[in-house]
């Protein structure tokens, strides 16, 4: 065997090894996702098959820093920088189920964060409009979503309290940061027959997850579900101070 043939052979062996490691990696995360679904989500009562199927697929680890990949599928929120977190997988599943998404829906999310919740929704609805107030997080989520081909998500950097009037009204609205009171501007951007899922309450303590329904006459009904703990939904003014 001459030097050329030998180096070709080494090249092929190296490629095979790399592919095998990549394959193992992919496999390992999909096994972790299946365990997450069983142990954290189905065991706590989430039954929506579409939500379960989408969360079995969406690679949560790719929405966080590589240093956190080993714990990407653990049962809790994780830091994403700027004092913010990606929500606990169970909360993402529970809120998505409560939202009752459908393939023709246009959905507004407040609090893009890592982009993970937006990615899960993107697989279930027609279009997701998501707003993030921290520019670095908004830009990074936009890049991740683009890289992973979630083409039906639009990310805006701005103040979620204003909603997205240009694209309103929405079939569904979801908040992943907690305002102290229900923001009326967002209720106004909900379609008749629409549904909104949001944590509401004081900062860090005593928040409830609410479901708001607007009937066909525009009348609004509110229902409490779980006690929760979300990062606060801040006002633009506070960020500038
Ligand atoms: N849905 C996210 C989790 C977000 S944590 C995920 O899947 O990763 C809540 C996010 O809301 C934070 O990134 C925070 O910066 C953002 N946020 C807080 N107040 C906001 C506001 N007024 N408008 C838009 N985003 C806001």
């Amino acid at each position: 065997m001459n030097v050329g043939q030998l180096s070709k052979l080494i090249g092929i062996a190296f490629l095979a090894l790399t592919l095998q490691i990549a394959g193992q990696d992919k496999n390992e995360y999909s096994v972790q996702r299946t365990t997450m679904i069983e142990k954290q989500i189905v065991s706590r009562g989430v039954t929506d098959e579409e939500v379960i199927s989408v969360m079995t697929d969406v690679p949560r680890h790719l929405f966080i820093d590589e240093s956190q990949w080993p714990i990407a599928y653990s049962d809790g929120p994780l830091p994403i920088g700027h004092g913010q977190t990606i929500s606990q997988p169970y909360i993402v599943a529970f809120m998505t189920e409560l939202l009752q998404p459908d393939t023709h829906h246009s959905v507004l999310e407040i609090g893009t964060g890592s982009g993970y919740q937006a990615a899960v929704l993107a697989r279930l609805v027609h279009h997701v409009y998501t707003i993030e107030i921290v520019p670095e997080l908004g830009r990074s989520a936009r890049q991740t979503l683009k890289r992973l081909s979630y083409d039906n998500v639009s990310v805006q950097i701005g103040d979620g309290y204003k909603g997205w009037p240009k694209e309103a009204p929405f079939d569904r609205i979801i908040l992943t940061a907690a305002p102290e009171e229900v923001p009326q501007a967002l209720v106004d951007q909900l379609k008749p027959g629409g549904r909104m899922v949001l944590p509401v309450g004081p900062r860090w303590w005593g928040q409830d997850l609410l479901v708001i329904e607007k009937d066909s006459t525009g009348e609004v009904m509110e229902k409490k579900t779980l006690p929760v703990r979300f990062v606060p939904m801040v006002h633009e003014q506070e960020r500038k101070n």
Side-chain angles (χ1 to χ4, degrees), residues 80 82 84-87 92 109-118 131-134 137 158-161 176-177 230-236:
I80 54 170
H82 305 271
Q84 306 303 323
T85 55
I86 177 173
S87 308
V92 173
E109 180 197 26
I110 309 299
T112 317
S114 67
Y116 176 69
Q117 171 77 74
I131 307 178
E132 172 55 54
I133 204 163
V134 178
L137 289 176
D159 182 2
Y161 278 102
T176 61
F230 274 79
V231 295
M233 182 163 163
V234 296
H235 289 272
E236 215 157 23

Side-chain angles (χ1 to χ4, degrees), residues 12-240:
I12 292 170
F14 184 70
L15 182 69
L17 189 69
T18 316
L19 286 177
Q20 199 190 358
I21 292 172
Q24 268 171 2
D25 244 38
K26 214 173 153 205
N27 238 337
E28 185 195 316
Y29 287 117
S30 81
V31 170
Q32 289 189 27
R33 269 198 299 282
T34 307
T35 310
M36 168 189 90
I37 296 288
E38 283 165 15
K39 299 246 162 82
Q40 304 171 28
I41 293 176
V42 174
S43 66
R44 290 191 177 110
V46 172
T47 55
D48 187 310
E49 282 179 15
E50 303 273 322
V51 174
I52 291 170
S53 149
V54 166
M55 286 187 66
T56 305
D57 277 356
V58 177
R60 179 173 164 92
H61 64 287
L62 298 182
F63 290 84
I64 58 180
D65 190 78
E66 198 168 344
S67 62
Q68 311 254 15
W69 285 8
I71 50 169
Y73 296 94
S74 57
D75 193 9
L78 290 170
I80 54 170
H82 305 271
Q84 306 303 323
T85 55
I86 177 173
S87 308
Q88 180 189 21
Y90 166 63
I91 287 291
V92 173
F94 184 68
M95 288 176 77
T96 309
E97 182 175 63
L98 275 182
L99 203 62
Q100 299 179 355
D102 207 341
T103 46
H104 65 275
H105 283 163
S106 159
V107 179
L108 175 67
E109 180 197 26
I110 309 299
T112 317
S114 67
Y116 176 69
Q117 171 77 74
V120 168
L121 284 169
R123 293 276 309 271
L124 296 163
V125 305
H126 177 63
H127 202 97
V128 180
Y129 297 89
T130 178
I131 307 178
E132 172 55 54
I133 204 163
V134 178
E136 293 85 348
L137 289 176
R139 282 197 288 268
S140 153
R142 189 184 281 146
Q143 265 177 16
T144 309
L145 290 160
K146 190 167 177 212
R147 184 163 48 85
L148 299 176
S149 302
Y150 292 95
D151 297 329
N152 58 339
V153 182
S154 309
V155 181
Q156 187 187 95
I157 292 160
D159 182 2
Y161 278 102
K162 297 180 186 146
W164 197 318
K166 220 176 125 232
E167 300 296 342
F170 300 96
D171 299 285
R172 299 289 185 260
I173 300 181
I174 180 170
L175 274 63
T176 61
E180 297 194 23
E181 280 167 21
V182 177
Q184 188 55 43
L186 297 182
V187 178
D188 292 344
Q189 291 181 26
L190 190 61
K191 273 188 196 167
R195 190 172 241 261
M196 181 163 162
V197 174
L198 71 163
V200 174
R203 301 207 155 184
W204 308 113
W205 189 251
Q207 303 164 359
D208 290 300
L209 192 64
L210 303 186
V211 176
I212 290 180
E213 283 175 315
K214 193 184 257 188
D215 72 14
S216 54
T217 67
E219 198 168 320
V220 170
M221 270 184 24
E222 200 177 292
K223 191 174 75 191
K224 274 188 196 171
T225 61
L226 286 184
V228 285
R229 188 167 170 185
F230 274 79
V231 295
M233 182 163 163
V234 296
H235 289 272
E236 215 157 23
Q237 245 5 67
E238 295 174 67
R239 274 192 43 82
K240 289 185 179 143

